[in-house]
Amino acid sequence: LRKAFPNARFDSAADLLMRVKLTRGPEEIEALRLSNRIGELGIKAAVENSAPGVLQRDVWFQIAKAYLDASGESPGRITIRAGAEGNTADGKPLNEVFQGGQILSMTLSASVLGYNCQVNQTVCIGQPAPTNRESTCQYNIELFETLVDGAKPGRSIADYVSFYKQEVDKRIAAFGGKPYTGVVFHTGGALGDGPRMGWQRDDENLDLVIEPGMVFTIKPRVPIPGLPTPSTQIGDGVVITATGAERLGRRKLEPITLS
């Protein structure tokens, strides 16, 4: 084409098409809802199989089995790690042994008809639990619920991200820690096909506006005072309605410490 039309300019339509497809149809929303709820089965599998002395890879495969049993599809993403942010495992089963008192970080998504909705959870593996871990996790849950309440149609993602940063900064100012600059709002869908937005990530469509029919995972992180890594994280999918956001998951959001 460039050879045939040397003076023509070709612009990518990827951004335009992405903006159109972020408003999901009813069938897509149901697939994402099922993905979210199967994703929660992975959290359940991790809680039931993790303990001091257990290999990370053994827990990884239990999560994978739960997803295959529930949907019959290969998992979208299973990245877990104790003592570090979950995404540092890069989706791989690792030969690392869980230690008592470590924080297990999880970024998970099951696949339903090729659609993926991410869920996130941190769990304390036994004792000795880090000081301030439970109160930080409780604040993380409250922040998640505040963000769900604030996901109103017509609100810009830029304003939404700024509001999130202000809330985390309040916690840092009071208890210490470091700010998190990664993904806070993950649009999901077909694996990896939508923007992942957060503070200092304005390259991924922070000029978007929240609209009915959008589905994205809200996954705030809050640093644990005195612990360099990982932060606490609670994440669950929401669908935007005409009046606000409806959570897709069903699990009770609470701090989890394994006995």
Side-chain angles (χ1 to χ4, degrees):
L1 283 172
R2 291 187 185 280
K3 185 176 180 180
F5 304 100
N7 296 322
R9 189 184 77 184
F10 295 92
D11 293 330
S12 172
D15 184 72
L16 174 64
L17 293 173
M18 182 275 296
R19 292 171 187 273
V20 172
K21 73 179 180 179
L22 282 182
T23 303
R24 309 290 183 182
E27 296 90 351
E28 291 180 292
I29 291 171
E30 286 310 303
L32 289 162
R33 189 189 306 275
L34 285 171
S35 169
N36 196 107
R37 293 185 177 175
I38 294 172
E40 291 184 316
L41 295 179
I43 295 173
K44 183 173 183 288
V47 169
E48 291 176 349
N49 290 280
S50 298
V54 170
L55 273 177
Q56 185 262 22
R57 66 182 296 109
D58 292 340
V59 177
W60 193 101
F61 282 115
Q62 288 296 328
I63 296 171
K65 182 179 184 302
Y67 289 170
L68 286 166
D69 287 346
S71 74
E73 298 182 41
S74 296
R77 185 164 179 79
I78 302 174
T79 183
I80 65 172
R81 200 163 202 175
E85 303 296 351
N87 57 14
T88 62
D90 197 26
K92 298 181 178 66
L94 304 176
N95 287 313
E96 296 181 351
V97 179
F98 292 162
Q99 307 295 324
Q102 284 186 318
I103 302 300
L104 174 60
S105 176
M106 292 180 267
T107 298
L108 308 172
S109 63
S111 186
V112 174
L113 300 177
Y115 282 82
N116 296 265
C117 191
Q118 193 176 111
V119 296
N120 310 85
Q121 181 75 44
T122 48
V123 172
C124 184
I125 302 177
Q127 300 295 331
T131 305
N132 298 317
R133 181 261 162 188
E134 187 161 325
S135 64
T136 300
C137 187
Q138 188 59 53
Y139 181 80
N140 190 289
I141 293 167
E142 293 167 3
L143 175 56
F144 171 85
E145 293 171 343
T146 298
L147 290 170
V148 172
D149 290 342
K152 305 294 186 184
R155 186 174 194 175
S156 73
I157 290 291
D159 178 62
Y160 201 36
V161 169
S162 177
F163 169 70
Y164 158 78
K165 182 177 183 300
Q166 290 171 12
E167 293 300 308
V168 173
D169 283 349
K170 288 180 187 177
R171 176 76 181 185
I172 292 172
F175 297 99
K178 59 182 180 179
Y180 174 66
T181 59
V183 179
V184 183
F185 310 108
H186 193 295
T187 52
L191 188 59
D193 75 340
R196 301 170 302 158
M197 298 160 287
W199 179 55
Q200 292 189 346
R201 295 185 64 91
D202 51 1
D203 57 318
E204 294 210 44
N205 301 288
L206 280 174
D207 61 328
L208 287 169
V209 173
I210 297 172
E211 298 178 13
M214 285 185 172
V215 176
F216 53 87
T217 292
I218 299 175
K219 45 182 232 175
R221 281 187 190 272
V222 180
I224 301 172
L227 193 70
T229 185
S231 304
T232 64
Q233 185 172 42
I234 296 292
D236 208 26
V238 300
V239 57
I240 305 302
T241 68
T243 57
E246 172 195 336
R247 187 179 157 215
L248 299 181
R250 294 186 289 194
R251 74 189 191 275
K252 182 180 179 180
L253 300 181
E254 60 184 347
I256 301 174
T257 300
L258 305 182
S259 61

